[in-house]
Amino acid sequence: MSKKKAIGYYDYTVILTYAGMLFAFFGILKVIDQDYLTATICLLCAGGCDMFDGTIAATKERCRSEKRFGIQIDSLCDLISFGILPGIFAYMVSGMKNFVGVVGAIYVLAALIRLSFFNVLEEERQDATDEKRISILGLPVTTIAVFLPFVYWLYVSGLFRKESCFSILLILMSIGFLTPIEIRKPGRTGKIAILAAGTIFACIMIIRMRIH
């Protein structure tokens, strides 16, 4: 009698995807604790994981089921990392106002729609060709991992004095998620440059905010 395996896939191709979700969940806990600096660092880490998980997955010859699983698990983790975490963050940092809660809910819905539509397009693309995807339709939800920490830093620094900056950010991101604009994916060099810039920004943000 063959031994049954645990449900799911656990090889190296999904390690970064799973790690990104764990960073995001810890970030949500930090938001609840009102430790917003740590939460933004967790968001940046989740963004870094998401940036390279596809590159790592492409190094392994995967069967059709593994590819389909990769599409679904990546988007589900992205919803937590770049949908739910930012939505809760904006709600909490703005003083738990009802209006911001509504904006956050709409933002999460926009992220959900964007990710679900991406899954449909990606499955159709993989059925038609084995070539790598060079562009994305709509603003990637991962973009919030760059903008939210930056806006939070401006807010804490006093350059953005009103809490409404977080609601405005979520509204603009929601519009970007659902606008059918074609955006070219960054190559390996571009990803490394973005990761390096994000790391430097995170270090600067931690140092300056700890000092103050």
Side-chain angles (χ1 to χ4, degrees), residues 14 26 29 51 54 61 71 80 95 111 121-122 126 137 148 196 203 209:
V14 292
F26 185 71
L29 296 182
M51 188 176 298
E61 187 68 29
I71 295 171
I80 297 172
L121 294 181
E122 182 61 13
Q126 289 190 10
L137 192 64
L148 183 58
C203 292
M209 291 181 69

Side-chain angles (χ1 to χ4, degrees), residues 189-208:
T189 302
K191 289 181 178 180
I192 293 175
I194 294 172
L195 181 63
T199 302
I200 293 172
F201 172 70
C203 292
I204 294 173
M205 185 170 62
I206 291 173
I207 293 171
R208 294 198 63 179

Side-chain angles (χ1 to χ4, degrees), residues 36-48 145-153 193-211:
Y36 301 118
L37 175 59
T38 301
T40 56
I41 299 303
C42 288
L43 180 60
L44 284 167
C45 289
V146 176
F147 285 105
L148 183 58
F150 183 64
V151 169
Y152 177 65
W153 181 68
I194 294 172
L195 181 63
T199 302
I200 293 172
F201 172 70
C203 292
I204 294 173
M205 185 170 62
I206 291 173
I207 293 171
R208 294 198 63 179
M209 291 181 69
R210 289 303 186 193
I211 291 176

Side-chain angles (χ1 to χ4, degrees), residues 31-101:
V31 170
I32 295 173
D33 291 338
Q34 298 184 10
D35 183 358
Y36 301 118
L37 175 59
T38 301
T40 56
I41 299 303
C42 288
L43 180 60
L44 284 167
C45 289
C49 290
D50 183 76
M51 188 176 298
F52 290 97
D53 61 356
T55 302
I56 291 178
T59 63
K60 183 179 183 294
E61 187 68 29
R62 295 176 296 165
C63 66
R64 189 173 186 273
S65 295
E66 288 176 320
K67 290 181 179 179
R68 293 295 184 268
F69 179 83
I71 295 171
Q72 301 301 327
I73 199 67
D74 185 69
S75 288
L76 288 170
C77 289
D78 284 354
L79 180 62
I80 297 172
S81 302
F82 314 116
I84 296 174
L85 171 53
I88 295 176
F89 184 100
Y91 174 69
M92 291 295 294
V93 78
S94 299
M96 295 183 286
K97 296 177 181 177
N98 291 334
F99 173 75
V100 184

Side-chain angles (χ1 to χ4, degrees), residues 52-185:
F52 290 97
D53 61 356
T55 302
I56 291 178
T59 63
K60 183 179 183 294
E61 187 68 29
R62 295 176 296 165
C63 66
R64 189 173 186 273
S65 295
E66 288 176 320
K67 290 181 179 179
R68 293 295 184 268
F69 179 83
I71 295 171
Q72 301 301 327
I73 199 67
D74 185 69
S75 288
L76 288 170
C77 289
D78 284 354
L79 180 62
I80 297 172
S81 302
F82 314 116
I84 296 174
L85 171 53
I88 295 176
F89 184 100
Y91 174 69
M92 291 295 294
V93 78
S94 299
M96 295 183 286
K97 296 177 181 177
N98 291 334
F99 173 75
V100 184
V102 172
V103 171
I106 294 173
Y107 167 82
V108 174
L109 178 59
L112 174 63
I113 295 171
R114 165 71 177 77
L115 290 166
S116 298
F117 190 69
F118 168 82
N119 285 6
V120 173
L121 294 181
E122 182 61 13
E123 288 193 3
E124 291 177 348
R125 188 192 69 81
Q126 289 190 10
D127 287 338
T129 180
D130 291 329
E131 295 180 358
K132 293 183 178 180
R133 186 177 63 251
I134 60 174
S135 63
I136 300 176
L137 192 64
L139 185 69
V141 295
T142 320
T143 310
I144 195 68
V146 176
F147 285 105
L148 183 58
F150 183 64
V151 169
Y152 177 65
W153 181 68
L154 293 177
Y155 174 72
V156 173
S157 300
L159 297 176
F160 285 174
R161 298 182 180 277
K162 294 186 177 181
E163 298 163 347
S164 59
C165 62
F166 297 103
S167 296
I168 294 173
L169 174 63
L170 294 192
I171 291 171
L172 293 177
M173 289 291 100
S174 300
I175 294 172
F177 294 162
L178 302 180
T179 302
I181 53 176
E182 190 169 350
I183 300 175
R184 189 174 182 85
K185 288 188 64 180

